[in-house]
Amino acid sequence: MERGEEPTFPAFPYKPYSIQIDFMKALYQALNKGGVAMLESPTGTGKTLSIICSALQWIIDRKEQMKSEIKSKSDRNQRSEDDSVCDDEPDWMKDFVIEKIDSDTVKKKSDKGKLGFRNSNKKNLKNSCRDLLRKSEKEEDDDDERLDGEKNVKRKEDNVELGEEEEFLVEEYESEEEGKTKRKAGGNCVSSSSDEANENEFEDEEEEEEELKVYFCSRTHSQLSQFIKELKKTVFASKLKVVCLGSRKNFCINKDVLKLGSSSQINERCLELQKNKKTNVVSKAKRSGGKLHRIKGSSGCPMLRKHKLQKQFGTELSQQGALDIEDLVNLGKKIGTCPYYGSRSVIPTASLVVLPYQSLLMKSSRQSLGVNLKNSVIIIDEAHNLADSLTSMYDSKITFLQLKEVQSHLKLYFERFRNLLGAGNRRYIQTLMVLAQAFLRALLDDTNPCPNSGKQSDQNSMFSSSMAINDFLFSLNIDNINLVKLRHYIKESNIIHKVSGYGGKLIGAQKDSVLDDGGNNGARGSILSGFQALVGILDSLTNNDGDGRIIISKRTFNCSGEQGFLKYVMLAGEKIFSEIVDQTHAVVLAGGTLQPVAETRERLFPWLCPEQLFFFSCGHIVPPQSILPIAVSRGPAGTSFDFSYTSRSSLSMMEELGRLLCNLVVVVPEGIVVFFPSFEYEGKVHDAWKSSGILQRIMKKKLVFREPRSSIDVEHVLREYKETIVSISGVDSREVPVQHSGAILLAVVGGKISEGINFSDGMGRCVVMVGLPYASPSDIELIERVKHIEGLGNSNTSRTALVDNEPYNADVFQAGFEVLRNCKRRGREYYENLCMKAVNQSIGRVIRHSNDYAAILLVDARYASDPANRSFSHPTNKLPEWIKSRFVSATQNYGEVHKLLHQFFKVNKNREFQQKVECKITSDHGICE
């Protein structure tokens, strides 16, 4: 596309709405400009398809433009070279110039091959390196036999018989020269299995890196699958090379590994198998006398034994076009090779990489995947809570029980192998023991006075405090320990896996069980998770002092600490995000509701002036008459709705809410979704309705379903809810009691249903928001975040009122409330914005396409107000514009609400009947159902 021309989007598979065209143009403009952009489009407006057709069109246009520029430059150079040869020069001179040009071209290609390791000399280089390695290994094997003989003599002198325990002996470590390891009996020099940075042997070495890339990321794997589904509607699915990334747990097809269950154990086992492969299947050894006999060990994961199958996986992926995670798993099973590593190998040559938040936003994950962000385009969907999501990825936590277990196993390991460990290993293992003991002391220390001072405290109450990193280290007298060197030792020596393996073996022996290679996986995995938690805390303590806070939580009375924990809470997201922005051409944050923009800018890119930020927001595709948002301030009995923390648990308030639902089930057709502030409160209300008989009255008209706490069971509940709605609509032939007019789903704000589930058409004709779901002030992490945000942009001296190391009182709720009350602007706004973002996410679940319609009831007197007297911080001012423009902010009584609902559904039912023939418009415009 020529500069100045209006962009077109021929790949859009249907006739787009005007707001979709505006959105695509805005995104295209943002990519041309580069930098940071925020694009807002309400849920249900076909945002995903608009992103695909705009961003990928830009990639294609940009590549064509670059080809054109290169061709023009080449033509100019050719003409310049031709002009340098005069017509009256002899033929041999002309031939010399032409030969020189050809020679230079060949030389450039050759140089390019050398720089990229793409030329034929590469194989020779690899063979030479392989010969050197063989020679080195032979020399080391000779040294091993000599050292092993010496060590055996020493063992006999010390009367030490290692036997099978030899595999748990850590390699010698040169403490004066960090990073250098030597071979020791029973082991090979390998890095920690937690370090994935060097896992590139499965990459296709012959393929060149694609220069322009789009990285699209979202929060969940289901959202990524939805993206691929939309992509398949366009020509880009076959026109561009696309790869979808995911976790090992989602991709693994090795049944023995997959049955471990937890993500951490699957990751560790997978990496351990790769280590076994790299040891050239001679990692195990048998000794007879002083001689060493090599025997075959594990050859790695059976899904990665044939490199040619990995290449075949990449080839078929390219031929089949865009595949989601399920498709990739099926392809891996069909070929018999690992889809996790197979998909990774395609990254360098792909134009579009689809991946989860963590894989892109965490630096360690990017490095392990080999993701190169240079000059790329990043699109982050569902970015409404990006700042909190980003910082939470860098949080770390270790419990009292984990610390006790780590300390115990370190002590057992050290006592068993002490006489066989080198000086460096002994020093670092002792340092780990000192740190574990210091952290335990922090949770057991009872020098802090109990808040009740002289009164007998509740055994289950918690005593919590927060500290800066340096203060925490000084308080435990461990500030002289070099945590960077210690972390390097853990990574290079593989110590946590050695100790975990030995601990797992001891536990298995105590149970008198005969264990094979995987028999102690459960015990080992449990021990390993504790060590990984310790490593996470050590990593966190290497951050800058002001980047986060350490939270210390323990018992207040008996100080036994069983429920205690240490947690590092990352607060400074701007430094993390700046690394991403600095490398890329453009970063686009997309979402249904991104307001308030100022807060996001201050927390993620404060260096960016407001005028430098590209922001675009569009309206909704639904006509105004298709939504009815109402503030419901009073119930049918005239009781004023007050669901604040102190009032919501009163029996009268819960029963009045029940009477409201009894009336709604009469006037609202099909499905009603009710959102509560928490699972705990939903349970209280349900019990109150059940005991008062209100629940039975509701169920005479609609069946009642409840969101389960376990996300695994959510799908089952949703399926039953949907089947009930469908059967009422007459689509299903199953018999349903005639008196039921639909169903009610009781859900929770912040749960799975409020975040990623869509309730189109009859699934959600009415959504009821109970109260304002403010986060509890007793959440210490939240309060620390509020204090940090309140101080953004201020000097350190002005933050002292909020940032301190004082412990929170026994009444943590009151302590948090005091912090909120002392906030002047930013911290308070952040707290209010958290609440309204949650409201907007929940109520946005019910309008999904142009012909959809629904009522939105905000049930609390705090939602109602006189628009003329409404302040900026009023909750309804934070509603999306497409809802706010139709909002009924005040009603005299419930009778008025009931009348509005009756008229609304009567009009829309008639309109739905008249337009039933045109129901295909939903799919014709690519709107997500």
Side-chain angles (χ1 to χ4, degrees), residues 274-551:
Q274 306 322 311
K275 285 193 304 169
N276 289 338
K277 182 175 182 179
K278 293 175 185 179
T279 61
N280 296 320
V281 300
V282 290
S283 59
K284 293 188 176 181
K286 245 186 195 177
R287 283 185 176 76
S288 60
K291 293 185 178 180
L292 179 71
H293 298 284
R294 300 281 180 179
I295 61 171
K296 280 198 173 184
S298 171
S299 59
C301 180
M303 298 301 147
L304 280 169
R305 286 176 185 165
K306 295 183 179 179
H307 185 62
K308 65 180 181 180
L309 294 182
Q310 283 283 294
K311 296 186 74 172
Q312 182 185 344
F313 183 94
T315 302
E316 291 207 23
L317 196 157
S318 302
Q319 293 172 350
Q320 294 187 30
L323 301 178
D324 63 16
I325 291 175
E326 187 177 348
D327 295 330
L328 291 169
V329 169
N330 292 333
L331 179 61
K333 289 178 178 178
K334 174 187 170 185
I335 297 174
T337 190
C338 177
Y340 175 78
Y341 284 104
S343 58
R344 281 177 49 162
S345 68
V346 184
I347 295 175
T349 58
S351 294
L352 173 63
V353 181
V354 184
L355 68 173
Y357 266 19
Q358 191 148 341
S359 299
L360 181 80
L361 299 178
M362 281 199 74
K363 187 175 182 179
S364 59
S365 297
R366 293 198 302 272
Q367 290 175 339
S368 68
L369 289 171
V371 168
N372 180 13
L373 298 182
K374 187 176 180 182
N375 298 324
S376 62
V377 170
I378 292 177
I379 299 174
I380 303 174
D381 198 16
E382 300 294 328
H384 53 281
N385 283 327
L386 178 61
D388 287 339
S389 298
L390 180 63
T391 53
S392 66
M393 292 176 191
Y394 290 82
D395 290 352
S396 60
K397 178 181 178 180
I398 189 167
T399 65
F400 180 87
L401 292 178
Q402 285 177 319
L403 277 170
K404 280 183 68 175
E405 192 173 43
V406 164
Q407 185 195 40
S408 172
H409 286 288
L410 280 171
K411 185 178 179 181
L412 288 171
Y413 183 88
F414 189 71
E415 289 174 351
R416 177 68 183 90
F417 298 102
R418 179 173 190 164
N419 294 331
L420 301 170
L421 295 170
N425 279 316
R426 284 200 303 270
R427 180 163 65 87
Y428 279 111
I429 293 173
Q430 286 176 313
T431 302
L432 281 171
M433 294 167 66
V434 168
L435 285 171
Q437 182 60 43
F439 295 157
L440 280 170
R441 193 168 66 247
L443 294 177
L444 289 170
D445 185 12
D446 58 356
T447 56
N448 290 315
C450 287
N452 291 339
S453 176
K455 298 179 183 179
Q456 188 152 12
S457 176
D458 180 3
Q459 177 175 316
N460 292 319
S461 62
M462 299 297 293
F463 177 84
S464 302
S465 61
S466 73
M467 305 179 77
I469 293 176
N470 289 345
D471 292 334
F472 177 72
L473 296 175
F474 280 117
S475 69
L476 297 179
N477 198 27
I478 54 174
D479 55 292
N480 58 335
I481 295 177
N482 190 324
L483 295 176
V484 175
K485 284 188 176 182
L486 179 62
R487 185 64 186 90
H488 187 79
Y489 166 76
I490 293 170
K491 171 184 170 182
E492 294 296 324
S493 67
N494 206 23
I495 182 65
I496 68 173
H497 297 275
K498 297 289 186 179
V499 178
S500 300
Y502 180 67
K505 183 177 180 65
L506 289 180
I507 292 173
Q510 289 172 1
K511 294 179 180 179
D512 296 321
S513 58
V514 179
L515 302 176
D516 54 19
D517 286 342
N520 63 345
N521 275 334
R524 182 180 179 181
S526 173
I527 301 167
L528 185 60
S529 66
F531 276 98
Q532 288 170 332
L534 177 63
V535 170
I537 287 289
L538 296 180
D539 279 341
S540 298
L541 293 176
T542 61
N543 286 314
N544 293 333
D545 189 49
D547 287 353
R549 303 280 285 182
I550 294 287
I551 293 175

Side-chain angles (χ1 to χ4, degrees), residues 256-273:
D256 292 334
V257 176
L258 198 57
K259 69 182 180 182
L260 295 174
S262 73
S263 298
S264 60
Q265 289 190 48
I266 290 173
N267 289 342
E268 290 300 329
R269 183 59 181 156
C270 174
L271 291 167
E272 187 178 2
L273 288 172

Side-chain angles (χ1 to χ4, degrees), residues 467-745:
M467 305 179 77
I469 293 176
N470 289 345
D471 292 334
F472 177 72
L473 296 175
F474 280 117
S475 69
L476 297 179
N477 198 27
I478 54 174
D479 55 292
N480 58 335
I481 295 177
N482 190 324
L483 295 176
V484 175
K485 284 188 176 182
L486 179 62
R487 185 64 186 90
H488 187 79
Y489 166 76
I490 293 170
K491 171 184 170 182
E492 294 296 324
S493 67
N494 206 23
I495 182 65
I496 68 173
H497 297 275
K498 297 289 186 179
V499 178
S500 300
Y502 180 67
K505 183 177 180 65
L506 289 180
I507 292 173
Q510 289 172 1
K511 294 179 180 179
D512 296 321
S513 58
V514 179
L515 302 176
D516 54 19
D517 286 342
N520 63 345
N521 275 334
R524 182 180 179 181
S526 173
I527 301 167
L528 185 60
S529 66
F531 276 98
Q532 288 170 332
L534 177 63
V535 170
I537 287 289
L538 296 180
D539 279 341
S540 298
L541 293 176
T542 61
N543 286 314
N544 293 333
D545 189 49
D547 287 353
R549 303 280 285 182
I550 294 287
I551 293 175
I552 308 160
S553 186
K554 56 188 176 182
R555 300 256 185 178
T556 58
F557 177 58
N558 59 10
C559 296
S560 62
E562 283 86 359
Q563 301 297 324
F565 62 84
L566 294 176
K567 182 168 185 178
Y568 176 79
V569 180
M570 175 65 81
L571 301 173
E574 66 274 8
K575 296 177 183 177
I576 305 168
F577 200 67
S578 66
E579 292 184 5
I580 297 172
V581 175
D582 290 345
Q583 296 179 63
T584 58
H585 167 72
V587 175
V588 178
L589 311 186
T593 306
L594 297 179
Q595 299 286 356
V597 175
E599 179 199 303
T600 304
R601 185 183 63 81
E602 285 181 343
R603 294 186 62 192
L604 290 181
F605 30 89
W607 66 87
L608 203 64
C609 299
E611 57 272 13
Q612 291 179 303
L613 175 65
F614 184 94
F615 178 77
F616 172 83
S617 180
C618 65
H620 210 295
I621 55 176
V622 297
Q625 64 268 24
S626 293
I627 59 169
L628 179 62
I630 309 176
V632 183
S633 56
R634 292 186 179 276
T639 303
S640 178
F641 282 125
D642 179 9
F643 291 100
S644 60
Y645 185 79
T646 55
S647 303
R648 68 188 186 187
S649 295
S650 68
L651 188 60
S652 61
M653 194 59 56
M654 293 188 285
E655 288 183 351
E656 187 72 351
L657 178 62
R659 286 189 284 270
L660 171 66
L661 265 293
C662 287
N663 281 270
L664 290 181
V665 297
V666 175
V667 70
V668 178
E670 301 173 294
I672 300 175
V673 184
V674 184
F675 285 105
F676 291 89
S678 67
F679 279 105
E680 181 186 11
Y681 186 61
E682 185 272 341
K684 282 184 179 180
V685 172
H686 186 269
D687 291 344
W689 289 353
K690 190 174 182 179
S691 60
S692 64
I694 289 175
L695 186 62
Q696 287 73 17
R697 289 170 56 190
I698 293 172
M699 293 184 70
K700 286 181 180 180
K701 282 290 183 181
K702 294 186 187 291
L703 297 179
V704 176
F705 297 89
R706 302 173 66 189
E707 178 177 2
R709 286 180 180 266
S710 171
S711 59
I712 299 173
D713 300 324
V714 169
E715 188 175 340
H716 173 71
V717 173
L718 285 173
R719 184 169 59 251
E720 288 191 337
Y721 173 75
K722 183 176 182 179
E723 287 174 354
T724 303
I725 301 297
V726 169
S727 64
I728 295 299
S729 302
V731 177
D732 199 330
S733 61
R734 282 169 305 190
E735 294 184 2
V736 176
V738 72
Q739 68 267 28
H740 289 147
S741 62
I744 290 181
L745 178 60

